[in-house]
């Protein structure tokens, strides 16, 4: 069921450049993994609610206050920008 | 003279008695790393300058006669998915090869405030995806007990560094077994805490509903000391909590009821591993524990369920690596081109495979049949554990169906690699705590027993594990 077109579609959704040999390998791997996962069809979950971790605990609230990091930390984060102009993050044109 | 395999308490006493200084200790471990690394390859980065500076600070504290926290001067390794300010943090990936951590993870800040000495960053499977540390983009870590075998994964560097005595303890992270399985393969003690017990702030996210940071060490007591130092609620991680166990098994082996789930001793479990675990269970019984066979009926579906959830969450978490704010940024004609090329060139094969599977499971038309179904099965897996813990205090199982496998044996077959997590992932899906305790050897290779407790009952696990540690030796 995982054909070449589906692999291409998923790679596009995931924003992944894949070579044709990578595509072929992933098509094969995903097929065998999904064959294994088909095991889940043996169980009836019609009456089962999906897991939600929030349902197990209680809400943890805090005041909705802005917390600013130190200028040093801000600078260290900016130092990681691949492209920068003045203190701005530089990206390609979006539209 | 600094002896081998020192524990945290021995170091604490040694520092207080002035048998050695923190600086001598740090130098000793830096020498150990120098000696062992050409064989073991556990570290991606050795932070010599930082370690020596921290050791000097610990020595000043000792000289001043101030109260000395237990971890002061104790040399440790940190898994390279956990941020330590000023040090590179690669997550084992080319996409973060030059990424320098701008701040500390909460657990690292807590270790620093106790005065622990950071020796370096340990190797892992890329973005903590794997079971052998072979998926690291940088090096293959070897198992100190047999250099032709894997140390397990994904915290393979952390486990191997402890086993080779290149550090006293280390931090790892566990999504589906990534602390417990390498601890088992390397003969270390490793704890995956209850989900929520330790802040995940500063851990590079893999699957956020499953990830937990935890300690690997040489003894249960050391594991406990480190866990107590890093646990607790953190405002920067809203899933962290100070919860205590509602029902505690805070009683010795003598009074404990231990459940043995039949599903964990079936097909696929190697005979030698089974025999070693059965012997350990017998010893616990002799020491007074009541042993009961139980059933966790949805165990056989846990692995399939896990690989849908883990890849779905990972595909969303890894969307942030897009070549824009940090990490590898390839040149492109337009924004899309930058995304595709940076991610295409920066991620390794296993990471791409998982992003693809996760994106598929979440995509329109497939969501209900895959992701939603897996979330429902997860409810059933969790209910199994809740039911079991109504009648038993602990559950004992093997950590892995087999001991450390050969380097290269499974790396080309993803499903085969995934199947090695079959005994650890159900525990992760349920969110309960579990500790891997070395209980024997198959030839040269260590075998760990998994001690699973109720939510937030780490104390009960430590107590019982210490008793078993005594009677196994």
């Amino acid at each position: 069921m995982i054909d070449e077109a589906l692999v291409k579609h998923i790679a596009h959704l995931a924003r992944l450049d894949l070579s044709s040999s990578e595509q072929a390998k992933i098509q094969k791997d995903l097929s065998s993994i999904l064959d294994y996962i088909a095991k889940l069809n043996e169980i009836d979950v019609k009456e089962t609610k999906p897991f939600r971790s929030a349902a197990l605990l209680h809400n943890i609230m805090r005041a909705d206050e802005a917390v600013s990091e130190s200028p040093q930390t801000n600078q260290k984060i900016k130092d990681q920008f691949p492209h920068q102009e003045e203190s701005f993050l530089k990206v390609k044109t979006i539209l | 003279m600094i002896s081998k395999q020192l524990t945290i308490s021995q170091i604490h006493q040694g520092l207080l008695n002035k048998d050695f200084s923190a600086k001598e200790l740090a130098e000793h471990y830096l020498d150990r790393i120098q000696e062992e690394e050409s064989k073991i390859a556990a570290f991606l980065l050795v932070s010599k300058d930082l370690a020596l500076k921290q050791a000097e600070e610990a020595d000043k504290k000792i000289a001043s006669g101030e109260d000395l926290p237990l971890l002061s001067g104790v040399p440790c390794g940190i898994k390279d998915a956990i941020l330590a300010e000023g040090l590179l943090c690669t997550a084992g990936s080319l996409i973060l090869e030059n990424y320098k951590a701008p701040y500390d993870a909460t657990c690292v800040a807590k270790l620093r405030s106790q005065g622990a000495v950071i020796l370096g960053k340990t190797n892992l499977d890329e973005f903590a995806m794997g079971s052998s540390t072979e998926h690291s983009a940088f090096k293959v870590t070897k198992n100190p007990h047999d250099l032709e075998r894997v140390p397990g994964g994904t915290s393979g560097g952390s486990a191997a560094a402890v086993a080779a005595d290149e550090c006293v303890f280390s931090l790892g992270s566990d999504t589906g077994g990534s602390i417990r399985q390498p601890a088992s393969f390397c003969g270390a003690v490793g704890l995956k805490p209850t989900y929520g017990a330790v802040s995940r702030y500063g851990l590079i996210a893999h699957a956020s509903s499953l990830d937990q940071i935890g300690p690997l060490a040489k003894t249960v007591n050391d594991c406990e000391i480190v866990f107590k130092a890093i646990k607790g609620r953190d405002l920067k991680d809203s899933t962290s909590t100070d919860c205590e166990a509602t029902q505690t098994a805070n009683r010795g082996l003598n009074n404990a009821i231990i459940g043995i789930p039949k599903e964990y001793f079936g097909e696929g479990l190697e005979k030698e591993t089974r025999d070693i675990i059965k012997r350990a269970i017998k010893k616990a019984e002799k020491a007074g524990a009541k042993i009961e066979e139980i059933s966790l009926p949805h165990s056989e579906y846990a692995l399939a369920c896990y690989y849908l959830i883990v890849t779905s969450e990972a595909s969303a978490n890894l969307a942030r690596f897009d070549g824009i704010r940090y990490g590898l940024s390839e040149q492109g004609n337009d924004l899309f081109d930058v995304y595709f090329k940076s991610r295409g060139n920066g991620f390794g094969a296993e990471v791409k495979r998982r992003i693809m599977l996760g994106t598929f499971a979440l995509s329109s038309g497939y969501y209900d049949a895959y992701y939603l179904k897996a979330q429902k099965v997860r409810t059933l897996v969790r209910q199994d554990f809740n039911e079991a813990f109504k009648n038993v205090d602990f559950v004992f199982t093997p950590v892995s169906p087999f001991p450390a496998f050969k380097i290269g044996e499974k790396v080309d077959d993803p499903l085969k690699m995934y199947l090695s997590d079959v005994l650890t992932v159900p525990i992760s899906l349920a969110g309960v705590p579990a500790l891997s305790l070395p209980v024997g050897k198959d030839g040269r290779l260590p075998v760990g027993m998994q001690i699973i407790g109720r939510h937030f009952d780490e104390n009960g696990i430590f107590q019982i594990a210490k008793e078993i540690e005594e009677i196994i030796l």
Side-chain angles (χ1 to χ4, degrees), chain A residues 7 10 14-15 17 22 29 36 39-40 42 49-51 56 60 76 80 82-83 89 91-92, chain B residues 85 99-100 233 300-301 303 324-325 329 332 340 343-344 352-353 356 373 375-376 378-379 382:
Chain A
V7 170
I10 302 291
R15 307 289 187 262
D17 224 359
E22 280 179 319
D29 290 341
Y36 176 79
K39 206 178 167 58
L40 294 182
E42 292 169 15
K49 289 208 167 87
F51 176 88
L56 342 154
I60 297 174
K76 284 173 193 157
Q80 298 300 320
H83 308 286
L89 172 67
V91 293
K92 293 259 175 210
Chain B
E85 192 270 317
Y99 178 70
K100 198 190 248 185
R233 188 183 168 206
E300 64 166 309
Y301 304 107
L303 192 77
I324 302 297
R325 285 156 300 165
S329 181
F340 278 87
R343 292 164 65 78
K352 285 179 183 165
R353 189 153 45 224
M356 290 289 287
K373 177 138 204 182
Q375 287 291 44
K376 290 180 174 178
R378 185 173 183 181
T379 300
R382 188 184 164 92

Side-chain angles (χ1 to χ4, degrees), chain A residues 1-2 6-7 10-18 22 25-26 29-30 32-34 36-37 39-43 45 48-51 56 60-61 69 73 76-77 80-83 89 91-92 94, chain B residues 85 99-100 102 233 236 238 240 300-301 303-304 308 323-327 329 332 335-336 339-341 343-344 347 352-353 355-357 359-360 366 370 373 375-380 382 412 414 418:
Chain A
M1 87 178 252
I2 301 279
L6 185 56
V7 170
I10 302 291
H12 180 77
L13 289 176
R15 307 289 187 262
L16 275 178
D17 224 359
L18 298 177
E22 280 179 319
K25 172 92 167 93
I26 282 179
D29 290 341
L30 290 198
S32 79
I33 295 166
L34 289 175
Y36 176 79
I37 283 171
K39 206 178 167 58
L40 294 182
N41 296 330
E42 292 169 15
I43 1 175
V45 287
T48 311
K49 289 208 167 87
F51 176 88
L56 342 154
I60 297 174
M61 313 298 275
E69 285 291 347
T73 302
K76 284 173 193 157
I77 289 169
Q80 298 300 320
F81 290 172
H83 308 286
L89 172 67
V91 293
K92 293 259 175 210
I94 291 174
Chain B
E85 192 270 317
Y99 178 70
K100 198 190 248 185
R233 188 183 168 206
K236 290 172 169 170
S238 60
S240 66
E300 64 166 309
Y301 304 107
L303 192 77
L308 285 172
I324 302 297
R325 285 156 300 165
Y326 37 67
S329 181
L335 197 59
F336 256 46
Y339 295 156
F340 278 87
K341 283 186 181 151
R343 292 164 65 78
F347 290 139
K352 285 179 183 165
R353 189 153 45 224
I355 290 174
M356 290 289 287
L357 179 57
T359 306
F360 167 77
Y366 298 100
Y370 290 97
K373 177 138 204 182
Q375 287 291 44
K376 290 180 174 178
V377 175
R378 185 173 183 181
T379 300
L380 297 173
R382 188 184 164 92
D412 293 324
Y418 297 173

Side-chain angles (χ1 to χ4, degrees), chain A residues 35-87:
Chain A
D35 282 349
Y36 176 79
I37 283 171
K39 206 178 167 58
L40 294 182
N41 296 330
E42 292 169 15
I43 1 175
D44 179 9
V45 287
K46 274 202 289 292
E47 305 297 321
T48 311
K49 289 208 167 87
F51 176 88
R52 276 201 185 92
S53 53
L56 342 154
L57 298 165
H58 51 93
N59 269 332
I60 297 174
M61 313 298 275
R62 64 165 170 77
D64 186 19
E65 285 165 354
V67 183
S68 54
E69 285 291 347
S70 69
Q72 291 86 349
T73 302
N74 284 347
Q75 188 53 50
K76 284 173 193 157
I77 289 169
K78 285 182 200 161
D79 289 344
Q80 298 300 320
F81 290 172
H83 308 286
Q84 199 169 348
E85 207 167 288
E86 293 168 24
S87 70

Side-chain angles (χ1 to χ4, degrees), chain B residues 27-335:
Chain B
E27 282 165 347
H28 166 80
Y29 276 98
L30 289 165
D31 288 348
R32 291 278 316 143
I33 291 173
Q34 185 110 45
E35 281 163 33
E36 298 294 319
E37 271 304 274
S38 58
K39 290 185 302 204
I40 310 288
F43 283 87
L44 288 175
L45 175 100
V46 179
S47 47
K48 187 178 174 183
D49 295 344
L50 173 65
L52 292 174
K53 193 172 133 249
Q54 289 178 314
E56 279 168 16
E57 281 164 19
D59 282 331
K60 273 189 210 148
K61 210 168 203 178
I62 296 164
S64 73
E66 273 178 67
D67 261 1
L68 198 67
L70 267 177
L71 292 175
S72 274
V74 179
C76 65
I78 309 287
K79 184 178 187 177
D80 206 27
I82 303 172
L83 269 53
E85 192 270 317
L87 300 182
L88 291 176
C89 193
T90 68
S93 181
L94 287 176
I95 210 164
L96 289 179
E97 191 175 12
N98 301 308
Y99 178 70
K100 198 190 248 185
Y103 52 87
D104 271 341
T106 298
C107 59
V108 171
K110 286 185 171 187
L111 291 183
R112 281 201 213 246
S113 73
Q114 280 225 8
V117 169
I118 298 171
L119 294 169
K121 304 296 296 290
T122 54
N123 196 18
L124 69 160
D125 288 292
E126 184 176 0
F127 286 107
M129 297 178 186
S131 312
S132 67
T133 313
E134 291 166 288
H135 290 307
S136 166
F138 303 109
K139 51 171 82 168
V140 175
T141 300
K142 319 291 191 306
N143 190 313
H145 296 273
D146 179 344
L147 298 176
E148 287 179 11
R149 290 175 188 267
V150 302
T154 64
S155 309
S158 292
V162 167
D165 200 24
E166 292 180 86
C167 60
V168 178
F169 73 89
S170 59
L171 291 185
S173 63
D174 190 314
T175 305
S178 283
I179 290 174
R180 292 161 283 161
Q181 185 250 27
S184 176
F185 281 12
C186 291
V189 182
L191 173 77
K192 182 204 85 79
T194 310
Y195 181 78
V198 177
S199 168
R200 292 179 291 112
Y201 181 72
L203 169 68
I204 293 175
H206 172 195
S208 304
S209 78
L210 297 155
D211 295 342
Q212 263 297 285
I213 293 169
L216 295 101
K218 287 155 196 166
T219 65
V220 177
N221 196 45
D222 281 4
C223 231
E224 182 176 11
I225 292 169
V226 179
F227 170 68
K228 290 195 166 150
I230 61 173
K231 76 185 182 92
R233 188 183 168 206
D234 174 16
L235 289 175
K236 290 172 169 170
D237 172 6
S238 60
T239 61
S240 66
T241 162
D242 284 324
C243 263
E244 298 286 335
T246 44
Q247 186 187 0
T248 154
N250 199 12
R251 43 183 172 166
L253 212 42
N254 216 348
N255 296 306
I257 307 170
I258 293 165
I260 310 298
K262 58 175 193 265
E263 292 84 2
Y264 285 65
F265 291 84
E267 206 189 327
L269 178 63
E270 281 192 6
K271 185 182 175 302
E272 289 73 16
T273 300
R274 180 201 317 260
D275 291 348
I276 289 166
I277 302 299
K278 289 273 179 186
R279 272 203 298 278
I281 293 168
K282 265 268 166 304
K283 283 191 175 175
E285 189 172 22
K286 269 196 183 152
K290 194 168 169 233
I291 308 294
E292 271 182 24
E293 185 173 294
I294 60 165
S295 174
L296 297 167
H298 297 94
S299 300
E300 64 166 309
Y301 304 107
L303 192 77
C305 164
Y306 171 83
Y307 271 97
L308 285 172
I309 290 170
V310 83
T311 55
S312 297
E313 292 188 22
S315 75
N317 272 328
L318 269 62
R320 74 192 63 183
F321 301 102
D322 55 6
I324 302 297
R325 285 156 300 165
Y326 37 67
L328 180 74
S329 181
E330 298 285 9
Q331 296 293 325
N333 300 324
D334 55 27
L335 197 59

